Amino acid sequence: YNGVTEFFPTGLMTNTNKPLLAFSQFYVNNKPFPVDSGINRIEEIELDYESNNIAFDIASLEFTVPSKNQFEYRMDPIEQSFQRSTNGEFIRYVDLAADDYTFIFRASNNDGIWSDETKSIRIIIKPPFWQETWVQITSFLILIGLGALGLFLKWRAQRLREEELEGLVDERTRELSVKTDELEATNTSLNEEVEFRRKVEADLREARDETDSILSNVSEGLFLLDVNFKISDQHSKELENIFERENLSRTNFVELMK
C-alpha cells in the first residue's frame, strides 16, 4: 500500500492556550541596551535626549505554531490604538521627542486566541538641559533681569544727561545773573553819574544865573560902591540874598569876589 491519510475537520481542536508575553531585547541607537537584572524585571528606563532611536524584540511564549503567532502594540501617548505588527517580533521607533512614553503590547497564539493581559514598559526620554523646566525658568528670569538692567541703564543714562543739562542751565543762569548784576551795577553807576551831571549842570546854571544877576544888577546900578569898593548899606540886602551871606554892608566887594 502507498498509504492513505485521512482526517475529519470536525475533529480538529482549536488551540485555546493564551500566550505569555515577554521582552526578548531592548535596543537604543541600534545597540542592545544593557540591563543587569533583565529587561523583563524592570518597569521603566530613562534615556537622554540623544538616545531617541529605540526598538523592542517582543515574544509570545506559546510555541504550538510560533510562526502564526500575532502581535499588536502601541506607544502612548503618540499612538491611541493598537497597531498590528508587520515586522513580526521587532518594533522600532526613531527620532522620539523628549517625553514620557509607555510601550504596550499583546500577542495571540496560532489560532488567534489573544492574551488576556498586556505587557508594558515605561520609557522616559529626558530633554536636553536647555529644555529643562528649571533652565527655562532661570533663562526667563535672566532675560527679565537683563531687560530690567537695560531699562535701568537707559534710565540712568537719561537721568545723568538731565542732570548734566540741569547743571549747564544752572551755570548759565548764574552767569546771566552775574551779567545782570554787573549791568544793574553799571546802570546804577550811570544813573548816579547822570544824576551827578544833572546836579553839576544845575549848580552851574544856578551859579551862572547868580552871576548874570549880579552883572545885571551891576549894570543897572542896583547897588553902589564907595570909592574903596565897599558895599553901601543901601543895597547890601540884595547882595546878601545873592551870595547867601549875612552882614555884607561895608564889605569890600573885591574881597568878596575872590
Side-chain angles (χ1 to χ4, degrees):
Y1 299 97
N2 292 326
V4 175
T5 301
E6 67 176 16
F7 70 93
F8 297 94
T10 56
L12 294 178
M13 297 182 61
T14 300
N15 182 6
T16 59
N17 292 324
K18 296 180 180 180
L20 299 176
L21 307 176
F23 288 103
S24 299
Q25 186 60 269
F26 177 59
Y27 301 89
V28 175
N29 293 338
N30 300 318
K31 296 179 180 180
F33 186 77
V35 179
D36 294 337
S37 60
I39 188 67
N40 290 291
R41 294 185 179 181
I42 60 176
E43 295 181 353
E44 69 178 48
I45 296 175
E46 189 171 290
L47 304 173
D48 60 48
Y49 71 97
E50 293 180 336
S51 301
N52 61 344
N53 298 316
I54 63 176
F56 302 91
D57 264 336
I58 55 180
S60 171
L61 304 182
E62 209 293 315
F63 304 104
T64 302
V65 186
S67 62
K68 291 187 177 183
N69 292 346
Q70 300 179 71
F71 298 92
E72 287 185 342
Y73 65 91
R74 77 168 185 261
M75 178 76 86
D76 287 337
I78 60 177
E79 294 170 335
Q80 302 302 317
S81 60
F82 280 99
Q83 312 294 315
R84 184 64 59 89
S85 173
T86 58
N87 295 321
E89 302 173 354
F90 188 75
I91 312 298
R92 178 191 297 274
Y93 293 92
V94 297
D95 295 328
L96 291 174
D99 206 341
D100 190 337
Y101 300 95
T102 300
F103 178 76
I104 308 169
F105 81 95
R106 63 187 179 183
S108 73
N109 63 18
N110 61 298
D111 280 333
I113 304 299
W114 292 89
S115 56
D116 291 331
E117 298 180 354
T118 59
K119 189 168 184 62
S120 64
I121 187 169
R122 184 182 179 191
I123 306 296
I124 301 172
I125 299 180
K126 297 187 297 183
F129 75 92
W130 60 84
Q131 292 182 1
E132 294 281 358
T133 301
W134 68 270
V135 175
Q136 293 179 345
I137 293 175
T138 303
S139 300
F140 178 72
L141 294 177
I142 290 175
L143 288 176
I144 292 178
L146 291 176
L149 178 60
L151 290 176
F152 172 77
L153 293 176
K154 183 178 180 180
W155 172 85
R156 182 57 179 165
Q158 183 176 357
R159 183 57 186 158
L160 290 175
R161 179 58 179 167
E162 290 176 356
E163 291 177 354
E164 181 181 359
L165 292 176
E166 289 174 359
L168 292 175
V169 170
D170 291 341
E171 182 179 356
R172 184 58 179 165
T173 301
R174 286 193 297 271
E175 292 177 355
L176 291 175
S177 178
V178 172
K179 294 293 184 182
T180 301
D181 292 342
E182 291 177 352
L183 289 175
E184 289 179 353
T186 302
N187 187 49
T188 300
S189 178
L190 289 175
N191 290 336
E192 291 176 351
E193 184 176 351
V194 170
E195 186 64 26
F196 175 75
R197 287 178 179 274
R198 288 177 180 174
K199 186 175 185 305
V200 170
E201 290 175 355
D203 291 343
L204 289 175
R205 284 195 299 272
E206 184 178 354
R208 189 182 306 114
D209 291 342
E210 291 178 355
T211 302
D212 291 344
S213 177
I214 292 172
L215 293 176
S216 175
N217 289 335
V218 171
S219 63
E220 294 178 2
L222 294 177
F223 61 86
L224 296 175
L225 302 175
D226 61 14
V227 292
N228 295 319
F229 300 102
K230 292 183 177 181
I231 300 172
S232 66
D233 294 335
Q234 182 181 357
H235 300 288
S236 61
K237 292 299 183 181
E238 289 83 349
L239 293 178
E240 288 175 359
N241 290 333
I242 292 172
F243 289 101
E244 297 180 352
R245 295 181 60 178
E246 297 179 354
N247 301 321
L248 295 181
S249 177
R250 311 306 300 172
T251 299
N252 189 288
F253 185 73
V254 176
E255 294 294 330
L256 178 62
M257 295 302 295
K258 288 182 178 179

